Each structure stands twice: as structure tokens, then as C-alpha cells.
Amino acid sequence: MTLMFLNGAAMRGGPLNHLLKDSPLVGVVRTAAKYRFYSVGDAFPAIEAVQSGGVSVVGELYDVPWDVLERSLLPAEPEELELGVIELEDGGGTLSMVRRRAYTEPHTYRDISHHADWRAYKASLEAAQ
């Protein structure tokens, strides 16, 4: 088992939550205020560590078995993301999918750090329609 921070479609109620195979939710948490938060084509979020101007991003922390991580969750992740380690608001660390360093095309990334919450961002898109 390992702790994994999720902040997109695999959270509770999301279309990819089934990939967690009933992994237990530890709780709703926030990252340390060290990250920028992006929408990648409005399809999924990405976080990226920054030196300054970071925000605290909302997500869910799960206790995921290694085999679920390896065989279910990671294979479904988009190529724009990679597995990394992030810092939580309480100072602890955890695994998370982060913005892949090799993908730097700014036109596909929209900075949504002012939302700091994927669900809030998606709700703002729906409200604007």
C-alpha cells in the first residue's frame, strides 16, 4: 500500500474512480502552496512545482495497493503526466501525477491556479455555458 494524491477524474464520483479498485480514501487534503495548477485541454489537471507564486491544490488522498497502482491506475494516465512526489499542506510527502517535464507546449495548458480545485474549475466551465 502507498499513499497517492489524486486531483482529477479518479476522485470520488469521477469517471475514473473505478480504477482505484476500492482503495480506501484517507481524506480530502491540500498540497503545500508550492504548485501551479493547469487544465490540459480541459480534459484533466496537472500540477507543477514552482519556486514562487504557488498555490495549495485540493485533492483526495488514497491508500492504494502497489498492484492497483501498477496495473490499473498508472496505465490509464495520460502521457502528459508522470509519477512524482509532492508535498502536502501538513508537510508530509506523497505520490502524485505531475506535469511531465518533457511537455512544455504552453498552448495546451491553461493555468487554473486561481481555482486550485479541479471540480471547481469544471463547475465554472459548466456555469459559463
Side-chain angles (χ1 to χ4, degrees), residues 4-7 35 40 44-49 69 73-86 94-104 109:
M4 180 79 175
F5 175 85
L6 300 172
N7 63 355
Y35 301 93
V40 184
F44 55 90
I47 62 174
E48 178 178 49
L69 186 64
L73 194 57
L74 291 180
E77 292 292 348
E79 64 183 14
E80 293 89 347
L81 302 178
E82 64 186 2
L83 188 62
V85 176
I86 63 163
T94 186
L95 295 177
S96 178
M97 299 308 294
V98 298
R99 182 176 171 175
R100 186 178 297 269
R101 287 176 231 140
Y103 282 84
T104 58
Y109 294 91

mmCIF file of all heavy atoms in Angstrom, residues 4-7 35 40 44-49 69 73-86 94-104 109:
data_model
loop_
_atom_site.group_PDB
_atom_site.id
_atom_site.type_symbol
_atom_site.label_atom_id
_atom_site.label_comp_id
_atom_site.label_asym_id
_atom_site.label_seq_id
_atom_site.Cartn_x
_atom_site.Cartn_y
_atom_site.Cartn_z
ATOM 1 N N MET A 4 -1.408 7.974 -2.338
ATOM 2 C CA MET A 4 -1.452 8.597 -3.660
ATOM 3 C C MET A 4 -2.432 9.753 -3.625
ATOM 4 O O MET A 4 -3.595 9.591 -3.247
ATOM 5 C CB MET A 4 -1.888 7.558 -4.701
ATOM 6 C CG MET A 4 -1.984 8.056 -6.108
ATOM 7 S SD MET A 4 -0.354 8.150 -6.828
ATOM 8 C CE MET A 4 -0.763 8.603 -8.501
ATOM 9 N N PHE A 5 -1.946 10.945 -4.011
ATOM 10 C CA PHE A 5 -2.774 12.147 -4.110
ATOM 11 C C PHE A 5 -3.400 12.178 -5.497
ATOM 12 O O PHE A 5 -2.712 12.063 -6.506
ATOM 13 C CB PHE A 5 -1.884 13.378 -3.905
ATOM 14 C CG PHE A 5 -2.581 14.698 -4.102
ATOM 15 C CD1 PHE A 5 -3.294 15.280 -3.065
ATOM 16 C CD2 PHE A 5 -2.494 15.377 -5.308
ATOM 17 C CE1 PHE A 5 -3.915 16.513 -3.235
ATOM 18 C CE2 PHE A 5 -3.107 16.609 -5.483
ATOM 19 C CZ PHE A 5 -3.827 17.176 -4.446
ATOM 20 N N LEU A 6 -4.716 12.325 -5.537
ATOM 21 C CA LEU A 6 -5.444 12.426 -6.807
ATOM 22 C C LEU A 6 -6.209 13.736 -6.829
ATOM 23 O O LEU A 6 -6.761 14.163 -5.814
ATOM 24 C CB LEU A 6 -6.417 11.258 -6.959
ATOM 25 C CG LEU A 6 -5.772 9.870 -6.958
ATOM 26 C CD1 LEU A 6 -6.840 8.799 -6.911
ATOM 27 C CD2 LEU A 6 -4.877 9.697 -8.161
ATOM 28 N N ASN A 7 -6.261 14.377 -7.998
ATOM 29 C CA ASN A 7 -6.951 15.665 -8.086
ATOM 30 C C ASN A 7 -7.735 15.815 -9.381
ATOM 31 O O ASN A 7 -8.029 16.924 -9.798
ATOM 32 C CB ASN A 7 -5.957 16.824 -7.919
ATOM 33 C CG ASN A 7 -4.915 16.846 -9.020
ATOM 34 O OD1 ASN A 7 -4.866 15.969 -9.850
ATOM 35 N ND2 ASN A 7 -4.080 17.856 -9.018
ATOM 36 N N TYR A 35 2.728 24.909 -5.795
ATOM 37 C CA TYR A 35 2.393 24.350 -7.099
ATOM 38 C C TYR A 35 1.565 25.313 -7.943
ATOM 39 O O TYR A 35 0.814 26.128 -7.418
ATOM 40 C CB TYR A 35 1.620 23.025 -6.921
ATOM 41 C CG TYR A 35 2.440 22.035 -6.139
ATOM 42 C CD1 TYR A 35 2.315 21.944 -4.756
ATOM 43 C CD2 TYR A 35 3.380 21.244 -6.763
ATOM 44 C CE1 TYR A 35 3.111 21.070 -4.022
ATOM 45 C CE2 TYR A 35 4.176 20.369 -6.039
ATOM 46 C CZ TYR A 35 4.041 20.298 -4.671
ATOM 47 O OH TYR A 35 4.836 19.447 -3.954
ATOM 48 N N VAL A 40 -5.298 20.667 -18.806
ATOM 49 C CA VAL A 40 -4.701 20.206 -20.058
ATOM 50 C C VAL A 40 -5.848 19.928 -21.023
ATOM 51 O O VAL A 40 -6.539 18.919 -20.906
ATOM 52 C CB VAL A 40 -3.827 18.954 -19.852
ATOM 53 C CG1 VAL A 40 -3.135 18.565 -21.150
ATOM 54 C CG2 VAL A 40 -2.800 19.193 -18.750
ATOM 55 N N PHE A 44 -8.077 17.067 -18.276
ATOM 56 C CA PHE A 44 -7.543 16.601 -16.997
ATOM 57 C C PHE A 44 -6.621 17.670 -16.433
ATOM 58 O O PHE A 44 -6.120 18.529 -17.161
ATOM 59 C CB PHE A 44 -6.805 15.258 -17.138
ATOM 60 C CG PHE A 44 -5.704 15.272 -18.157
ATOM 61 C CD1 PHE A 44 -4.402 15.620 -17.793
ATOM 62 C CD2 PHE A 44 -5.953 14.947 -19.475
ATOM 63 C CE1 PHE A 44 -3.388 15.639 -18.716
ATOM 64 C CE2 PHE A 44 -4.941 14.962 -20.412
ATOM 65 C CZ PHE A 44 -3.649 15.315 -20.038
ATOM 66 N N PRO A 45 -6.369 17.592 -15.113
ATOM 67 C CA PRO A 45 -5.492 18.585 -14.484
ATOM 68 C C PRO A 45 -4.040 18.124 -14.429
ATOM 69 O O PRO A 45 -3.740 16.934 -14.562
ATOM 70 C CB PRO A 45 -6.064 18.693 -13.071
ATOM 71 C CG PRO A 45 -6.552 17.304 -12.788
ATOM 72 C CD PRO A 45 -7.085 16.790 -14.119
ATOM 73 N N ALA A 46 -3.163 19.089 -14.214
ATOM 74 C CA ALA A 46 -1.741 18.801 -13.987
ATOM 75 C C ALA A 46 -1.218 19.796 -12.960
ATOM 76 O O ALA A 46 -1.589 20.968 -12.990
ATOM 77 C CB ALA A 46 -0.960 18.928 -15.291
ATOM 78 N N ILE A 47 -0.381 19.311 -12.061
ATOM 79 C CA ILE A 47 0.266 20.215 -11.110
ATOM 80 C C ILE A 47 1.759 20.238 -11.407
ATOM 81 O O ILE A 47 2.322 19.273 -11.930
ATOM 82 C CB ILE A 47 -0.019 19.849 -9.639
ATOM 83 C CG1 ILE A 47 0.517 18.467 -9.283
ATOM 84 C CG2 ILE A 47 -1.486 19.923 -9.332
ATOM 85 C CD1 ILE A 47 0.379 18.135 -7.815
ATOM 86 N N GLU A 48 2.360 21.375 -11.077
ATOM 87 C CA GLU A 48 3.787 21.553 -11.330
ATOM 88 C C GLU A 48 4.388 22.360 -10.183
ATOM 89 O O GLU A 48 3.856 23.408 -9.813
ATOM 90 C CB GLU A 48 3.972 22.295 -12.647
ATOM 91 C CG GLU A 48 5.406 22.584 -13.012
ATOM 92 C CD GLU A 48 5.504 23.286 -14.347
ATOM 93 O OE1 GLU A 48 4.791 24.286 -14.574
ATOM 94 O OE2 GLU A 48 6.313 22.828 -15.160
ATOM 95 N N ALA A 49 5.485 21.882 -9.641
ATOM 96 C CA ALA A 49 6.171 22.597 -8.574
ATOM 97 C C ALA A 49 6.801 23.873 -9.123
ATOM 98 O O ALA A 49 7.323 23.872 -10.239
ATOM 99 C CB ALA A 49 7.246 21.715 -7.947
ATOM 100 N N LEU A 69 -1.907 0.319 -8.364
ATOM 101 C CA LEU A 69 -1.160 1.441 -8.939
ATOM 102 C C LEU A 69 -0.506 1.012 -10.256
ATOM 103 O O LEU A 69 -0.636 1.694 -11.275
ATOM 104 C CB LEU A 69 -0.103 1.914 -7.943
ATOM 105 C CG LEU A 69 0.679 3.163 -8.299
ATOM 106 C CD1 LEU A 69 -0.218 4.389 -8.362
ATOM 107 C CD2 LEU A 69 1.794 3.391 -7.281
ATOM 108 N N LEU A 73 -4.184 2.015 -12.296
ATOM 109 C CA LEU A 73 -4.172 3.480 -12.290
ATOM 110 C C LEU A 73 -3.132 4.071 -13.246
ATOM 111 O O LEU A 73 -3.455 4.898 -14.099
ATOM 112 C CB LEU A 73 -3.945 3.978 -10.863
ATOM 113 C CG LEU A 73 -4.220 5.447 -10.597
ATOM 114 C CD1 LEU A 73 -5.650 5.830 -10.961
ATOM 115 C CD2 LEU A 73 -3.951 5.780 -9.138
ATOM 116 N N LEU A 74 -1.873 3.665 -13.117
ATOM 117 C CA LEU A 74 -0.819 4.261 -13.948
ATOM 118 C C LEU A 74 -1.002 4.044 -15.448
ATOM 119 O O LEU A 74 -0.779 4.960 -16.232
ATOM 120 C CB LEU A 74 0.563 3.778 -13.500
ATOM 121 C CG LEU A 74 1.021 4.289 -12.142
ATOM 122 C CD1 LEU A 74 2.399 3.752 -11.810
ATOM 123 C CD2 LEU A 74 0.992 5.801 -12.067
ATOM 124 N N PRO A 75 -1.417 2.855 -15.897
ATOM 125 C CA PRO A 75 -1.603 2.685 -17.343
ATOM 126 C C PRO A 75 -2.684 3.594 -17.945
ATOM 127 O O PRO A 75 -2.675 3.862 -19.144
ATOM 128 C CB PRO A 75 -2.014 1.213 -17.485
ATOM 129 C CG PRO A 75 -1.474 0.543 -16.271
ATOM 130 C CD PRO A 75 -1.570 1.583 -15.181
ATOM 131 N N ALA A 76 -3.591 4.093 -17.121
ATOM 132 C CA ALA A 76 -4.678 4.949 -17.616
ATOM 133 C C ALA A 76 -4.297 6.430 -17.625
ATOM 134 O O ALA A 76 -5.047 7.259 -18.139
ATOM 135 C CB ALA A 76 -5.927 4.749 -16.758
ATOM 136 N N GLU A 77 -3.146 6.771 -17.078
ATOM 137 C CA GLU A 77 -2.750 8.175 -17.007
ATOM 138 C C GLU A 77 -2.305 8.686 -18.380
ATOM 139 O O GLU A 77 -1.662 7.966 -19.136
ATOM 140 C CB GLU A 77 -1.616 8.364 -15.989
ATOM 141 C CG GLU A 77 -2.036 8.125 -14.554
ATOM 142 C CD GLU A 77 -3.000 9.161 -14.008
ATOM 143 O OE1 GLU A 77 -3.201 10.206 -14.648
ATOM 144 O OE2 GLU A 77 -3.561 8.917 -12.924
ATOM 145 N N PRO A 78 -2.631 9.931 -18.696
ATOM 146 C CA PRO A 78 -2.227 10.498 -19.986
ATOM 147 C C PRO A 78 -0.716 10.714 -20.058
ATOM 148 O O PRO A 78 -0.044 10.887 -19.030
ATOM 149 C CB PRO A 78 -2.970 11.836 -20.045
ATOM 150 C CG PRO A 78 -3.435 12.107 -18.677
ATOM 151 C CD PRO A 78 -3.449 10.830 -17.906
ATOM 152 N N GLU A 79 -0.194 10.716 -21.271
ATOM 153 C CA GLU A 79 1.252 10.829 -21.461
ATOM 154 C C GLU A 79 1.816 12.187 -21.032
ATOM 155 O O GLU A 79 3.018 12.321 -20.829
ATOM 156 C CB GLU A 79 1.636 10.544 -22.908
ATOM 157 C CG GLU A 79 1.078 11.538 -23.899
ATOM 158 C CD GLU A 79 1.424 11.191 -25.336
ATOM 159 O OE1 GLU A 79 1.857 10.055 -25.593
ATOM 160 O OE2 GLU A 79 1.266 12.065 -26.192
ATOM 161 N N GLU A 80 0.966 13.168 -20.861
ATOM 162 C CA GLU A 80 1.418 14.483 -20.419
ATOM 163 C C GLU A 80 1.771 14.529 -18.931
ATOM 164 O O GLU A 80 2.291 15.521 -18.443
ATOM 165 C CB GLU A 80 0.347 15.549 -20.698
ATOM 166 C CG GLU A 80 0.104 15.818 -22.155
ATOM 167 C CD GLU A 80 -0.971 14.909 -22.769
ATOM 168 O OE1 GLU A 80 -1.375 13.905 -22.137
ATOM 169 O OE2 GLU A 80 -1.402 15.200 -23.901
ATOM 170 N N LEU A 81 1.446 13.440 -18.219
ATOM 171 C CA LEU A 81 1.717 13.369 -16.783
ATOM 172 C C LEU A 81 2.735 12.279 -16.487
ATOM 173 O O LEU A 81 2.879 11.322 -17.247
ATOM 174 C CB LEU A 81 0.419 13.064 -16.013
ATOM 175 C CG LEU A 81 -0.729 14.049 -16.190
ATOM 176 C CD1 LEU A 81 -1.938 13.574 -15.397
ATOM 177 C CD2 LEU A 81 -0.326 15.444 -15.787
ATOM 178 N N GLU A 82 3.430 12.441 -15.351
ATOM 179 C CA GLU A 82 4.361 11.421 -14.883
ATOM 180 C C GLU A 82 4.211 11.290 -13.369
ATOM 181 O O GLU A 82 3.742 12.204 -12.700
ATOM 182 C CB GLU A 82 5.795 11.762 -15.256
ATOM 183 C CG GLU A 82 6.339 13.020 -14.619
ATOM 184 C CD GLU A 82 7.718 13.402 -15.140
ATOM 185 O OE1 GLU A 82 8.247 12.714 -16.019
ATOM 186 O OE2 GLU A 82 8.273 14.397 -14.640
ATOM 187 N N LEU A 83 4.624 10.143 -12.851
ATOM 188 C CA LEU A 83 4.553 9.908 -11.417
ATOM 189 C C LEU A 83 5.642 10.712 -10.723
ATOM 190 O O LEU A 83 6.797 10.735 -11.151
ATOM 191 C CB LEU A 83 4.729 8.414 -11.130
ATOM 192 C CG LEU A 83 4.485 7.956 -9.698
ATOM 193 C CD1 LEU A 83 3.044 8.234 -9.272
ATOM 194 C CD2 LEU A 83 4.800 6.475 -9.574
ATOM 195 N N GLY A 84 5.260 11.405 -9.662
ATOM 196 C CA GLY A 84 6.207 12.210 -8.911
ATOM 197 C C GLY A 84 5.856 12.198 -7.434
ATOM 198 O O GLY A 84 4.921 11.520 -7.002
ATOM 199 N N VAL A 85 6.594 12.963 -6.681
ATOM 200 C CA VAL A 85 6.358 13.120 -5.247
ATOM 201 C C VAL A 85 6.033 14.588 -4.996
ATOM 202 O O VAL A 85 6.704 15.476 -5.515
ATOM 203 C CB VAL A 85 7.600 12.713 -4.429
ATOM 204 C CG1 VAL A 85 7.381 12.965 -2.947
ATOM 205 C CG2 VAL A 85 7.942 11.250 -4.682
ATOM 206 N N ILE A 86 4.974 14.821 -4.233
ATOM 207 C CA ILE A 86 4.585 16.189 -3.888
ATOM 208 C C ILE A 86 4.545 16.344 -2.376
ATOM 209 O O ILE A 86 4.505 15.361 -1.635
ATOM 210 C CB ILE A 86 3.209 16.559 -4.491
ATOM 211 C CG1 ILE A 86 2.102 15.670 -3.915
ATOM 212 C CG2 ILE A 86 3.238 16.513 -6.015
ATOM 213 C CD1 ILE A 86 0.712 16.198 -4.126
ATOM 214 N N THR A 94 3.827 12.587 -0.632
ATOM 215 C CA THR A 94 3.034 11.506 -1.191
ATOM 216 C C THR A 94 3.270 11.422 -2.692
ATOM 217 O O THR A 94 3.734 12.378 -3.311
ATOM 218 C CB THR A 94 1.529 11.712 -0.902
ATOM 219 O OG1 THR A 94 0.801 10.561 -1.357
ATOM 220 C CG2 THR A 94 0.983 12.940 -1.599
ATOM 221 N N LEU A 95 2.931 10.286 -3.266
ATOM 222 C CA LEU A 95 2.973 10.157 -4.716
ATOM 223 C C LEU A 95 1.829 10.945 -5.337
ATOM 224 O O LEU A 95 0.767 11.113 -4.726
ATOM 225 C CB LEU A 95 2.844 8.692 -5.137
ATOM 226 C CG LEU A 95 3.980 7.758 -4.729
ATOM 227 C CD1 LEU A 95 3.653 6.335 -5.150
ATOM 228 C CD2 LEU A 95 5.293 8.208 -5.340
ATOM 229 N N SER A 96 2.043 11.409 -6.554
ATOM 230 C CA SER A 96 1.013 12.113 -7.307
ATOM 231 C C SER A 96 1.417 12.112 -8.772
ATOM 232 O O SER A 96 2.603 12.000 -9.100
ATOM 233 C CB SER A 96 0.896 13.563 -6.822
ATOM 234 O OG SER A 96 -0.068 14.264 -7.587
ATOM 235 N N MET A 97 0.451 12.260 -9.641
ATOM 236 C CA MET A 97 0.763 12.501 -11.040
ATOM 237 C C MET A 97 1.033 13.993 -11.178
ATOM 238 O O MET A 97 0.289 14.818 -10.649
ATOM 239 C CB MET A 97 -0.389 12.076 -11.947
ATOM 240 C CG MET A 97 -0.723 10.596 -11.855
ATOM 241 S SD MET A 97 0.680 9.475 -12.069
ATOM 242 C CE MET A 97 1.126 9.777 -13.762
ATOM 243 N N VAL A 98 2.129 14.334 -11.855
ATOM 244 C CA VAL A 98 2.532 15.725 -12.038
ATOM 245 C C VAL A 98 2.770 15.993 -13.518
ATOM 246 O O VAL A 98 2.904 15.066 -14.319
ATOM 247 C CB VAL A 98 3.803 16.055 -11.208
ATOM 248 C CG1 VAL A 98 3.543 15.877 -9.708
ATOM 249 C CG2 VAL A 98 4.993 15.212 -11.649
ATOM 250 N N ARG A 99 2.841 17.265 -13.862
ATOM 251 C CA ARG A 99 3.087 17.658 -15.251
ATOM 252 C C ARG A 99 4.442 17.108 -15.700
ATOM 253 O O ARG A 99 5.458 17.326 -15.046
ATOM 254 C CB ARG A 99 3.070 19.179 -15.356
ATOM 255 C CG ARG A 99 3.273 19.694 -16.747
ATOM 256 C CD ARG A 99 3.151 21.192 -16.772
ATOM 257 N NE ARG A 99 3.546 21.706 -18.076
ATOM 258 C CZ ARG A 99 3.458 22.962 -18.440
ATOM 259 N NH1 ARG A 99 2.965 23.860 -17.604
ATOM 260 N NH2 ARG A 99 3.842 23.343 -19.632
ATOM 261 N N ARG A 100 4.422 16.388 -16.813
ATOM 262 C CA ARG A 100 5.660 15.814 -17.361
ATOM 263 C C ARG A 100 6.557 16.941 -17.851
ATOM 264 O O ARG A 100 6.123 17.807 -18.599
ATOM 265 C CB ARG A 100 5.346 14.847 -18.491
ATOM 266 C CG ARG A 100 6.575 14.103 -19.013
ATOM 267 C CD ARG A 100 6.203 13.124 -20.110
ATOM 268 N NE ARG A 100 5.321 12.075 -19.656
ATOM 269 C CZ ARG A 100 5.723 10.893 -19.172
ATOM 270 N NH1 ARG A 100 7.010 10.640 -19.051
ATOM 271 N NH2 ARG A 100 4.839 10.001 -18.791
ATOM 272 N N ARG A 101 7.793 16.912 -17.441
ATOM 273 C CA ARG A 101 8.727 17.981 -17.791
ATOM 274 C C ARG A 101 8.984 18.079 -19.286
ATOM 275 O O ARG A 101 9.258 19.147 -19.799
ATOM 276 C CB ARG A 101 10.036 17.783 -17.037
ATOM 277 C CG ARG A 101 9.866 18.113 -15.567
ATOM 278 C CD ARG A 101 11.108 17.826 -14.782
ATOM 279 N NE ARG A 101 10.685 17.007 -13.648
ATOM 280 C CZ ARG A 101 11.339 15.995 -13.165
ATOM 281 N NH1 ARG A 101 12.474 15.637 -13.682
ATOM 282 N NH2 ARG A 101 10.870 15.326 -12.144
ATOM 283 N N ALA A 102 8.887 16.976 -20.009
ATOM 284 C CA ALA A 102 9.163 16.985 -21.454
ATOM 285 C C ALA A 102 8.062 17.688 -22.249
ATOM 286 O O ALA A 102 8.278 18.069 -23.392
ATOM 287 C CB ALA A 102 9.334 15.560 -21.964
ATOM 288 N N TYR A 103 6.881 17.861 -21.672
ATOM 289 C CA TYR A 103 5.766 18.517 -22.359
ATOM 290 C C TYR A 103 5.693 19.969 -21.914
ATOM 291 O O TYR A 103 5.254 20.262 -20.822
ATOM 292 C CB TYR A 103 4.436 17.810 -22.049
ATOM 293 C CG TYR A 103 4.270 16.543 -22.834
ATOM 294 C CD1 TYR A 103 4.833 15.365 -22.382
ATOM 295 C CD2 TYR A 103 3.579 16.531 -24.033
ATOM 296 C CE1 TYR A 103 4.706 14.202 -23.095
ATOM 297 C CE2 TYR A 103 3.448 15.356 -24.763
ATOM 298 C CZ TYR A 103 4.008 14.198 -24.289
ATOM 299 O OH TYR A 103 3.880 13.050 -25.003
ATOM 300 N N THR A 104 6.135 20.854 -22.774
ATOM 301 C CA THR A 104 6.175 22.266 -22.397
ATOM 302 C C THR A 104 5.366 23.139 -23.334
ATOM 303 O O THR A 104 5.487 24.352 -23.309
ATOM 304 C CB THR A 104 7.627 22.777 -22.358
ATOM 305 O OG1 THR A 104 8.218 22.562 -23.649
ATOM 306 C CG2 THR A 104 8.437 22.073 -21.288
ATOM 307 N N TYR A 109 -1.859 24.002 -22.191
ATOM 308 C CA TYR A 109 -2.022 24.122 -20.750
ATOM 309 C C TYR A 109 -2.646 25.473 -20.410
ATOM 310 O O TYR A 109 -2.151 26.502 -20.828
ATOM 311 C CB TYR A 109 -0.671 24.026 -20.036
ATOM 312 C CG TYR A 109 -0.022 22.675 -20.161
ATOM 313 C CD1 TYR A 109 0.848 22.394 -21.202
ATOM 314 C CD2 TYR A 109 -0.285 21.675 -19.235
ATOM 315 C CE1 TYR A 109 1.445 21.155 -21.312
ATOM 316 C CE2 TYR A 109 0.308 20.437 -19.338
ATOM 317 C CZ TYR A 109 1.172 20.187 -20.390
ATOM 318 O OH TYR A 109 1.751 18.955 -20.489
#
